[in-house]
Amino acid sequence: MHGANSSSLTPRYFILNGIPELEALHTWISLPFCFMYIITVLGNCGLIYLISHEEALHRPMYYFLALLSLTDVSVCTSFVPNMLCIFWFNLKEIDFDACLVQMFFIHMLTGMESGVLMLMALDRYVAICYPLRYSTILTNMVITKVGFATFSRSVLLMIPFTFLIRRLPYCKGNLIHHTYCDHMSVAKLSCGNIKINAIYGLIAAILIGGFDMFCIFMSYTMIIRAVVNLPSSDARHKAFSTCTSHICAIVITYVPAFFNFFTHRFGGRTIPHHVHIFIANLYLLLPPTLNPIVYGVKTKQIREGVIKLFLERNILRMS
């Protein structure tokens, strides 16, 4: 076995093969991915900077948005630079422990992203259903606690993945047909029983994605009921317009996630493997790229904050 220790069936390193069957196009494929990563970093870091410096944005909704932006930048940074090294410099080797670290952070951060979207739905529920108590319910302490709880949930549920992978014997080689270390892609190289890996992966998906989607669904069910009972159409439109950016973020995040989930498990041989890998990359990269654009376009306060920031800088330059 290539790259294996003589004393065990644990490889010293894995080889990430990129997108199989499209090796000749890796350079061209890398260009849109690189462009999306640049937009992700600039857009989300810009949002974080704007929210931290603009006093008008010091509200729970924007604190959660800043947390979402931080998570988006982190999840992209956990795999895109390494993927570009594969595409541009053919640097395909990744140390076994480094692979486990990358796998943990990718899965943990995607779980965190789902949790933040759920918190943002609860924020909209409180803002619309209990507007007079909004600031007293969502205090800075409450925001800190629910943010930490969401982070802790993702960490605690993803830590077992590393132990489940480490316990397996690997005798099917060390070539991973992927651009990053995905849990099941690594597990499938094992000659041991990976049923528990598959079962736990499904349990973790239900405990995070399933629970978050349920909370989002219940939040918007109660939001719709509250909006419908408002006395005027203008009030209904104004109330629901505050949710449009978040609804777009939900669609951008969960549609690729579900598509990736179902094609990976039920696509079988009907969908080519390189299509699976391409979708898996878009699933991680598309939401972080589009989220700052959506919020920048659809949120009036953010647009005004950007304009104010540019005007202040121009005044300082002129002075």
Side-chain angles (χ1 to χ4, degrees):
M1 174 182 170
H2 299 292
N5 295 326
S6 59
S7 59
S8 71
L9 289 175
T10 300
R12 291 194 301 272
Y13 58 85
F14 289 113
I15 298 174
L16 292 168
N17 199 35
I19 302 179
E21 303 176 27
L22 298 178
E23 288 84 357
L25 300 175
H26 274 179
T27 301
W28 293 106
I29 294 172
S30 69
L31 297 180
F33 283 154
C34 180
F35 182 66
M36 292 171 72
Y37 180 62
I38 292 171
I39 293 176
T40 295
V41 173
L42 293 178
N44 286 287
C45 289
L47 267 181
I48 294 170
Y49 177 83
L50 180 66
I51 291 169
S52 63
H53 283 76
E54 184 59 45
E55 191 172 348
L57 299 180
H58 290 178
R59 296 169 54 192
M61 171 184 174
Y62 301 108
Y63 292 149
F64 288 132
L65 178 57
L67 183 57
L68 179 66
S69 294
L70 179 62
T71 304
D72 284 343
V73 171
S74 300
V75 70
C76 287
T77 303
S78 67
F79 82 98
V80 173
N82 187 67
M83 178 180 67
L84 294 179
C85 286
I86 295 171
F87 289 165
W88 291 346
F89 309 115
N90 206 35
L91 299 176
K92 298 183 176 182
E93 291 186 7
I94 182 170
D95 184 76
F96 179 81
D97 290 329
C99 184
L100 295 188
V101 170
Q102 184 189 57
M103 179 191 71
F104 168 77
F105 276 104
I106 287 175
H107 290 300
M108 184 273 289
L109 290 167
T110 52
M112 182 71 182
E113 183 177 42
S114 176
V116 175
L117 287 174
M118 180 263 293
L119 294 179
M120 295 173 80
L122 296 177
D123 166 80
R124 291 299 82 206
Y125 162 69
V126 175
I128 292 174
C129 297
Y130 302 98
L132 299 179
R133 298 173 55 196
Y134 179 68
S135 58
T136 57
I137 293 175
L138 290 178
T139 62
N140 289 341
M141 181 60 69
V142 170
I143 293 170
T144 302
K145 287 181 178 179
V146 295
F148 181 74
T150 303
F151 173 76
S152 300
R153 180 193 66 167
S154 296
V155 170
L156 293 175
L157 284 175
M158 296 308 160
I159 283 177
F161 279 131
T162 58
F163 294 103
L164 290 173
I165 288 295
R166 187 177 287 278
R167 72 180 178 87
L168 294 172
Y170 295 90
C171 52
K172 295 182 180 179
N174 61 347
L175 181 62
I176 302 174
H177 295 291
H178 214 304
T179 55
Y180 57 84
C181 291
D182 174 72
H183 171 237
M184 289 308 298
S185 296
V186 176
K188 287 177 181 178
L189 294 179
S190 172
C191 51
N193 187 354
I194 64 171
K195 184 178 292 185
I196 189 173
N197 293 68
I199 293 173
Y200 186 77
L202 184 61
I203 291 173
I206 293 172
L207 290 177
I208 293 180
F211 176 79
D212 293 343
M213 283 297 295
F214 174 76
C215 290
I216 291 170
F217 174 78
M218 293 303 298
S219 296
Y220 274 98
T221 298
M222 289 182 282
I223 286 171
I224 291 171
R225 288 177 59 185
V227 170
V228 168
N229 291 328
L230 291 175
S232 67
S233 59
D234 289 339
R236 289 193 292 270
H237 179 267
K238 184 177 180 180
F240 201 70
S241 65
T242 63
C243 302
T244 54
S245 299
H246 182 247
I247 292 172
C248 289
I250 292 171
V251 173
I252 291 168
T253 301
Y254 282 108
V255 169
F258 280 120
F259 193 71
N260 179 64
F261 179 84
F262 287 113
T263 55
H264 183 72
R265 283 162 177 79
F266 307 112
R269 297 180 181 178
T270 60
I271 300 177
H273 189 58
H274 64 270
V275 175
H276 283 292
I277 306 305
F278 199 82
I279 292 171
N281 283 279
L282 285 180
Y283 148 64
L284 293 180
L285 194 51
L286 193 62
T289 304
L290 295 181
N291 281 339
I293 298 174
V294 167
Y295 275 94
V297 170
K298 288 189 170 292
T299 307
K300 179 182 178 182
Q301 291 84 348
I302 291 178
R303 292 199 305 270
E304 291 175 347
V306 171
I307 294 171
K308 181 181 177 182
L309 189 63
F310 275 107
L311 288 176
E312 288 178 351
R313 288 193 172 187
N314 287 333
I315 292 171
L316 289 174
R317 287 177 182 175
M318 291 175 63
S319 61

